[in-house]
Amino acid sequence: MAVSAVHLESDAFLVCMNHALSTEKEEVMGLCIGEVEVTRIVHIYSVIILRRSDKRKDRVEISPEQLSAASTEAERLADITGRPMRVVGWYHSHPHITVWPSHVDVRTQAMYQMLDQCFVGLIFSCFIEDKNTKTGRVLYTCFQSVQAQKGSEYERVEIPIHVVPREAIGKVCLESAVELPRILCQEEQDTYRKIHSLAHLDPVTKIHNGSVFTKNLCSQMSAVSGPLLQWLEDRQEQNKQSIVELQREKERLLQELAALE
Amino acid sequence: MAASISGYTFSSVCYHSANSNSDHEGFLLGEVRQEETVSISDTQISTAELIQVVEIHNHDPCAQLFSFYDYAGKINEESLNSILKDRRKNVIGWYRFRRNTQQQMSFREQIIHKQLTQLLGVPDLVFLLFSFISTANSSTHALEYVLFRPNRSRYNQRITLTIPNLGNTSQQEYKVSSVPNTSLNYTQVIKEHGAEFFDKDGVMKDIRTIFQVYSALQDKVQAVCGEVEQSERVREKIQEDVNKLKQQIALRKRKTAEEERKLRESENADSHPTSEENTDPSEASSQSRINFHTPPAPERPSTSPNPPSYADLLTQDDSLLSSSSPPTSAALLPRPQAVGSPGHPTPGPLGIGLGLGLGLGASSNPVTTPSSPYLGNGDGSSSDSLDRQAAGQEDDEEDDDDEEDEDSSEYENLLSEAPHLPLVSASVLAQGRPAALSPDGDARGSQTT
């Protein structure tokens, strides 16, 4: 296999989880940015949240424009982090659905592998609950596709994936995380613009559509922007505390070191 | 009773848990509300039902285990207060993340819970248990979570935890055409009075207004994000400094120990020429002790495809381990696989990437180890039909010598035989419906959200 394992930085993992848990009614998707090491390990440092142009069920595909925009973003990240970064994979969510990739997913993955044999796919399965034991579950898996023989069906190949700890959240991951409300709003605006351009609607229908837009934006603010802001504030508070405690420990250690010398 | 937690808080717990190479715990802050639901039935005009809603707003992670309790599970109130500070009044529960264990409260967790209930004065304190399990090849991982309210009766202890989300984006609600109407009166009235809603450009006023609200909110999000980013960098820097200092101190101590040893040797050499052999194991153990106590930067998996398995480490460092003092060697012992095995922590190696690849040098305190023998040992009984099934499978695997099977054998079984497995055992990974067994997507057609 071209890829031996995937190492996913924990702050990128955090963004993927945030994204996957943002909606249970449709599949979300994004791209993974990182680098492939000489040991054939794909190291993912960040993710980019994507808009889904085709919202039909199980049609999780990335348009060439999005891939191109993502490559540009990867270059920007390469500048910030100082390491070579490129698009190395894609992820999407399976709300209420088993974590395994569907036939369509496997085929889509195979297609990406034709361009880049190290391209990997991640799937996050969430909003699963066992009613009997009241146990909730979140699963994630990593896979590639392989064709047993020429012309036969593509099959899933399991790729080991490990989450690499990172105590502090990186700048690029934070930026990706706060993109979500913006992307949602853009999607809503685009849809509304198309509707609004229809000329033959009577005033009542126009008012109705305007209200739908308002309602949807309110939904986004209360379900996404609000909790996101709350989490950011909580995180800032946690960091402040940690900094105070770490500072104290640092001073204690300095004293200890001085005593030893 | 219902409970909810925001997706961001949930992800944050997952994030902190992924960062820790041992168990992870913390407190849940939030509030409990009483909600009244009114229902009308044939027998009564209206029945008001009071349900308690537990809202988890935030979590307060503990930096390490045993930070407010000791090995016997006795809580130190002073430590508790210094951790919680003024957030104490918002505590509605606590949580624990563990790997490869049963979805049950351990004995220590139960006694801690009782004390917390009393100390914090929250009669219905909840406990959120996260348990993490992976397949043998680490390609698929599952995080299971159950919310307990242990202070209630035995049979009513688990609550469903929902994660509110965007749900339906319902863009289908836009109307693309108006209902046809030839009435002139209708057209005239709605045009005249409907004009209120539109500005001079023909755009609905509400659109602009709500967009302004959204913009202001997004600006604020960006601003706070910038501040968080700065605080992350500061924290990262100080953490690095602390780590460096710890390394320096360890190095110093080692040098001092070496110098002392050399001094002793030269003294002993005059009287006891053979004593050198005796000092070696102790030096090795003190060396190993120092090594294990030094917390390196968060351990990165080595460049091998899978982080070194425990067996590899055993063969390499066998001499070190055998001579090490119990606490440090225990630091490397795998967590007992409580899944399915009713109370026998098998000292077999773990094939779990997460557990091993991260922080193998026991970079956090070795004191975490004593907690492991308790996990899964508590009652030994499996209240879960799933666990019982898994236990049955586990027994079959017992003879298997392969190190990677023991802890997640049920998963490996499921993966290798997925299409043929009976319903119940496969439900751990899939959704428990027949169609969900096939990994190749037949599930799709039958699943409805």
Side-chain angles (χ1 to χ4, degrees):
Chain A
M1 257 348 292
V3 173
S4 57
V6 169
H7 291 172
L8 174 65
E9 293 277 321
S10 64
D11 54 353
F13 173 65
L14 170 67
V15 180
C16 290
M17 285 282 286
N18 281 341
H19 194 198
L21 293 174
S22 68
T23 171
E24 65 178 302
K25 282 299 164 79
E26 64 179 29
E27 298 168 1
V28 301
M29 68 180 237
L31 289 172
C32 305
I33 311 278
E35 57 178 335
V36 182
E37 295 164 1
V38 287
T39 48
R40 299 182 300 127
I41 292 179
V42 177
H43 204 132
I44 300 174
Y45 290 98
S46 172
V47 296
I48 295 178
I49 292 177
L50 289 179
R51 295 176 51 176
R52 271 186 70 200
S53 39
D54 187 347
K55 294 232 174 177
R56 278 179 294 166
K57 205 163 167 50
D58 200 21
R59 284 257 173 280
V60 189
E61 286 146 5
I62 311 167
S63 70
E65 294 88 15
Q66 284 178 320
L67 264 175
S68 154
S71 297
T72 315
E73 176 68 13
E75 277 169 26
R76 191 183 72 91
L77 296 180
D79 289 336
I80 293 178
T81 58
R83 11 157 62 106
M85 299 272 222
R86 60 183 178 85
V87 179
V88 292
W90 65 306
Y91 73 90
H92 69 280
S93 73
H94 278 186
H96 298 290
I97 298 169
T98 168
V99 71
W100 309 127
S102 66
H103 281 307
V104 179
D105 291 336
V106 174
R107 252 177 272 136
T108 311
Q109 169 64 30
M111 206 179 62
Y112 295 138
Q113 271 175 243
M114 282 187 226
L115 302 170
D116 175 5
Q117 62 169 346
C118 289
F119 209 77
V120 291
L122 269 65
I123 299 181
F124 289 82
S125 165
C126 41
F127 298 109
I128 303 216
E129 197 206 3
D130 181 342
K131 291 275 187 306
N132 294 332
T133 57
K134 304 244 171 102
T135 305
R137 252 173 228 125
V138 170
L139 299 99
Y140 59 99
T141 186
C142 183
F143 73 105
Q144 279 198 304
S145 299
V146 75
Q147 206 178 19
Q149 297 154 327
K150 237 179 152 40
S152 64
E153 269 292 315
Y154 282 104
E155 277 169 11
R156 167 180 75 105
V157 171
E158 293 172 359
I159 306 284
I161 176 166
H162 307 281
V163 175
V164 177
R166 193 172 167 197
E167 287 290 335
I169 306 176
K171 176 180 165 117
V172 296
C173 285
L174 278 171
E175 287 177 353
S176 292
V178 300
E179 269 303 293
L180 181 58
R182 194 188 311 233
I183 288 173
L184 291 169
C185 181
Q186 264 172 11
E187 283 182 345
E188 200 65 41
Q189 282 185 293
D190 287 348
T191 311
Y192 180 72
R193 215 169 279 133
K194 282 194 211 118
I195 301 287
H196 186 62
S197 61
L198 299 168
H200 55 276
L201 301 173
D202 66 31
V204 167
T205 311
K206 283 193 188 158
I207 295 170
H208 170 97
N209 286 338
S211 307
V212 170
F213 179 84
T214 308
K215 170 185 90 79
N216 286 348
L217 227 58
C218 288
S219 231
Q220 287 168 20
M221 286 192 281
S222 51
V224 180
S225 305
L228 173 56
L229 189 53
Q230 184 195 316
W231 169 69
L232 284 170
E233 288 173 11
D234 292 337
R235 178 78 186 170
Q236 197 178 10
E237 198 49 51
Q238 270 175 23
N239 283 348
K240 273 199 198 127
Q241 285 227 316
S242 293
I243 288 170
V244 165
E245 282 162 14
L246 283 170
Q247 198 63 34
R248 220 177 285 150
E249 193 179 356
K250 180 175 172 182
E251 274 157 25
R252 185 185 63 80
L253 288 170
L254 279 168
Q255 284 179 350
E256 194 178 336
L257 190 63
L260 282 177
E261 305 216 329
Chain B
M1 200 174 184
S4 73
I5 183 172
S6 100
Y8 288 97
T9 306
F10 185 91
S11 311
S12 177
V13 175
C14 294
Y15 167 71
H16 278 99
S17 306
N19 279 343
S20 85
N21 53 7
S22 62
D23 296 349
H24 171 70
E25 63 194 3
F27 294 94
L28 297 172
L29 313 169
E31 71 175 288
V32 181
R33 293 185 292 112
Q34 299 264 27
E35 248 181 32
E36 212 178 286
T37 55
V38 181
S39 57
I40 300 175
S41 71
D42 287 338
T43 49
Q44 289 177 272
I45 289 295
S46 70
T47 22
E49 210 183 279
L50 272 178
I51 48 166
Q52 279 199 304
V53 179
V54 176
E55 286 177 354
I56 302 169
H57 295 162
N58 184 23
H59 75 110
D60 190 4
C62 291
Q64 52 216 45
L65 298 173
F66 295 94
S67 49
F68 61 96
Y69 55 92
D70 63 12
Y71 298 80
K74 175 134 175 49
I75 293 185
N76 179 330
E77 195 167 355
E78 227 178 85
S79 313
L80 185 68
N81 284 334
S82 70
I83 291 173
L84 291 175
K85 301 189 189 53
D86 58 353
R87 289 186 300 276
R88 187 183 159 126
K89 51 179 163 34
N90 296 330
V91 175
I92 53 162
W94 62 304
Y95 70 89
R96 202 121 197 285
F97 166 89
R98 3 192 190 93
R99 296 181 172 96
N100 303 311
T101 60
Q102 282 184 330
Q103 282 284 356
Q104 281 173 346
M105 290 185 78
S106 72
F107 184 59
R108 182 188 274 130
E109 283 160 7
Q110 283 171 24
I111 51 180
I112 290 177
H113 189 89
K114 278 205 178 63
Q115 293 172 74
L116 279 176
T117 308
Q118 265 189 321
L119 287 172
L120 297 170
V122 181
D124 221 355
L125 199 73
V126 296
F127 175 68
L128 181 54
L129 177 59
F130 288 90
S131 116
F132 187 84
I133 189 165
S134 313
T135 55
N137 63 1
S138 299
S139 70
T140 307
H141 309 265
L143 184 75
E144 302 189 334
Y145 53 96
V146 188
L147 187 62
F148 292 94
R149 38 176 182 170
N151 301 330
R152 292 283 174 125
S153 75
R154 196 180 183 68
Y155 302 103
N156 206 13
Q157 289 202 352
R158 296 174 178 223
I159 326 170
T160 301
L161 183 64
T162 56
I163 303 176
N165 57 85
L166 201 50
N168 210 340
T169 49
S170 51
Q171 288 186 341
Q172 295 83 18
E173 287 184 359
Y174 287 111
K175 287 201 188 219
V176 291
S177 60
S178 304
V179 177
N181 196 315
T182 53
S183 152
L184 287 172
N185 279 324
Y186 179 76
T187 317
Q188 187 240 328
V189 168
I190 61 172
K191 186 162 172 209
E192 186 184 321
H193 293 273
E196 274 291 307
F197 281 87
F198 302 93
D199 62 18
K200 53 181 172 49
D201 298 323
V203 178
M204 243 187 92
K205 290 179 193 163
D206 277 359
I207 304 275
R208 294 205 205 273
T209 328
I210 198 66
F211 188 77
Q212 269 169 11
V213 178
Y214 156 80
S215 285
L217 191 55
Q218 186 63 14
D219 288 342
K220 185 57 90 169
V221 165
Q222 293 284 149
V224 177
C225 177
E227 289 171 20
V228 169
E229 207 265 315
Q230 279 177 355
S231 68
E232 296 283 335
R233 303 288 75 82
V234 170
R235 176 192 172 149
E236 208 171 13
K237 176 79 181 43
I238 304 191
Q239 182 76 62
E240 251 177 63
D241 292 342
V242 164
N243 291 343
K244 263 193 226 137
L245 281 170
K246 284 189 179 160
Q247 277 180 344
Q248 282 181 313
I249 289 178
L251 196 66
R252 261 250 124 249
K253 284 188 175 160
R254 210 182 322 161
K255 268 199 200 150
T256 323
E258 266 220 41
E259 283 165 11
E260 279 178 9
R261 180 185 73 92
K262 283 200 181 119
L263 204 62
R264 259 184 287 124
E265 253 171 52
S266 57
E267 285 173 4
N268 285 341
D270 303 331
S271 41
H272 302 288
T274 56
S275 65
E276 280 217 57
E277 300 155 1
N278 296 335
T279 55
D280 279 335
S282 62
E283 193 218 331
S285 70
S286 65
Q287 190 115 356
S288 61
R289 194 174 290 127
I290 287 170
N291 275 340
F292 295 151
H293 277 260
T294 310
E299 195 95 343
R300 305 271 159 190
S302 67
T303 51
S304 61
N306 288 321
S309 74
Y310 188 68
D312 290 346
L313 253 116
L314 264 184
T315 49
Q316 283 172 23
D317 300 326
D318 214 43
S319 53
L320 262 183
L321 282 177
S322 57
S323 59
S324 296
S325 54
T328 44
S329 59
L332 284 185
L333 274 180
R335 281 170 283 283
Q337 60 213 56
V339 180
S341 50
H344 296 293
T346 342
L350 269 179
I352 300 300
L354 263 177
L356 291 181
L358 316 175
L360 255 175
S363 57
S364 64
N365 36 17
V367 293
T368 61
T369 51
S371 69
S372 43
Y374 282 102
L375 297 175
N377 270 1
D379 337 64
S381 61
S382 206
S383 58
D384 240 2
S385 61
L386 286 174
D387 286 346
R388 237 177 274 128
Q389 191 73 15
Q393 288 192 309
E394 187 90 337
D395 291 335
D396 295 338
E397 294 282 310
E398 214 88 65
D399 300 327
D400 210 344
D401 239 27
D402 184 18
E403 77 224 13
E404 297 188 312
D405 278 352
E406 290 179 4
D407 50 298
S408 50
S409 52
E410 54 160 351
Y411 268 66
E412 196 184 25
N413 247 358
L414 290 166
L415 276 189
S416 56
E417 302 171 35
H420 312 297
L421 276 177
L423 188 69
V424 179
S425 49
S427 62
V428 181
L429 273 181
Q431 269 228 269
R433 297 180 216 173
L437 284 176
S438 160
D440 284 319
D442 296 339
R444 285 314 187 96
S446 68
Q447 297 273 6
T448 48
T449 51

